[in-house]
Amino acid sequence: HQHGHGDSGGDAAEWKKVAELRAVAEAQDPAAKEEDDFVLGRFLRARDYNIGKASMMLLQYLAWKRVAKPHGSISGEEVRDEIAKKRVDMQGFDRLGRPMAYIYGARHFPSRRDLDGFKRYVAYVLDKICTRLPVGQEKFSAVIDLRGWGYANCDIRGYVAALDIMQSYYPERLGRVFLIHVPYMFMAAWKMVYPFIDDKTKKKFVFVADKDLDATLRDAIDESQLPEAYGGKLKL
């Protein structure tokens, strides 16, 4: 079942490029046949319609997928320990119909994480949110809540690994991220992570000051879809 079929690729020129990319990629890796045109369209857009670069990106994705998801997907059972840490809630939609994820930075402790297990969990979460995409929507949105975040939660390697998975293997999926309740100390970590974020993605991260929090969230998310913890009516 396919989720997140956008209409952004409605024009003939894009489909022509998609067909071109498909021919180039399938010649090098027959597994490209299993990916639909919408997937190829996202890889193209992520590389500004450069067939060579998009093909390289797609082939790297296919190689990663074989190793990361040998059974086609990652089961909840495989990441049970990570799920138990309750770092992510996935519920509700923003006003643009994008599914929301709420990520709690203070529930992550690098001293207790195995990097490979964490990467598997990141892919699991991204797959899970993509299955919630309504028809016509290719992107999701997120709120990263850093209330209570401190030195013990700081995980530059983990953050960079998560960003790399999202940017390399889930291109054009992220709509926007609000960072809220951001402690001053977090900015030192952000400075280290920032160079690893590609230019298109950088624009999608929005730091929200506490005084603007209520207005910003209500502007982006209808009250019925906003969790109670943030003043809305949605029970998580």
Side-chain angles (χ1 to χ4, degrees):
H1 50 259
Q2 288 305 326
H3 299 270
H5 280 179
D7 39 27
S8 45
D11 59 340
E14 175 156 330
W15 294 122
K16 194 169 168 291
K17 283 267 192 191
V18 164
E20 233 177 294
L21 172 60
R22 183 174 291 288
V24 171
E26 285 182 7
Q28 294 180 72
D29 189 341
K33 286 187 175 70
E34 293 162 32
E35 306 297 331
D36 71 22
D37 286 350
F38 293 96
V39 173
L40 269 63
R42 285 192 293 276
F43 279 90
L44 265 174
R45 288 199 295 279
R47 289 296 174 261
D48 294 317
Y49 296 94
N50 178 309
I51 299 280
K53 287 179 180 173
S55 167
M56 201 157 82
M57 188 187 190
L58 179 62
L59 292 167
Q60 284 168 345
Y61 161 73
L62 294 169
W64 168 80
K65 193 174 167 184
R66 269 193 284 275
V67 176
K69 306 183 205 178
H71 315 296
S73 64
I74 296 162
S75 69
E77 192 53 37
E78 288 174 76
V79 289
R80 194 179 58 207
D81 294 350
E82 298 291 334
I83 293 170
K85 294 171 187 170
K86 295 191 178 349
R87 282 177 295 208
V88 182
D89 276 322
M90 286 183 267
Q91 232 174 297
F93 295 85
D94 70 7
R95 291 187 191 272
L96 295 174
R98 300 182 292 203
M100 292 296 308
Y102 295 88
I103 300 159
Y104 309 105
R107 295 182 189 174
H108 176 74
F109 294 94
S111 61
R112 298 181 208 156
R113 68 115 177 91
D114 154 65
L115 193 59
D116 286 334
F118 176 65
K119 285 170 154 173
R120 199 174 304 122
Y121 173 67
V122 169
Y124 168 82
V125 167
L126 287 164
D127 283 346
K128 198 108 173 120
I129 198 157
C130 288
T131 63
R132 293 181 53 229
L133 290 163
V135 172
Q137 182 53 263
E138 297 195 68
K139 297 181 191 293
F140 68 88
S141 288
V143 169
I144 297 179
D145 189 337
L146 294 162
R147 189 193 289 279
W149 185 93
Y151 184 70
N153 307 113
C154 185
D155 185 10
I156 305 300
R157 275 188 75 187
Y159 300 157
V160 170
L163 273 164
D164 183 52
I165 290 168
M166 187 182 70
Q167 293 179 154
S168 304
Y169 311 131
Y170 296 82
E172 297 293 302
R173 280 304 200 192
L174 181 67
R176 181 173 49 189
V177 181
F178 289 126
L179 292 105
I180 68 171
H181 299 137
V182 182
Y184 183 70
M185 212 170 90
F186 179 78
M187 296 319 291
W190 181 251
K191 267 204 180 88
M192 292 167 81
V193 170
Y194 195 70
F196 295 95
I197 308 175
D198 66 43
D199 290 339
K200 275 187 178 174
T201 309
K202 278 174 181 162
K203 296 186 187 88
K204 296 173 181 178
F205 284 90
V206 181
F207 282 84
V208 184
D210 285 353
K211 64 176 172 51
D212 304 323
L213 182 58
D214 194 55
T216 303
L217 291 181
R218 284 174 185 277
D219 187 47
I221 306 159
D222 184 76
E223 189 181 46
S224 66
Q225 298 293 309
L226 185 64
E228 291 174 329
Y230 303 116
K233 293 185 170 162
L234 184 71
K235 284 186 182 353
L236 288 176

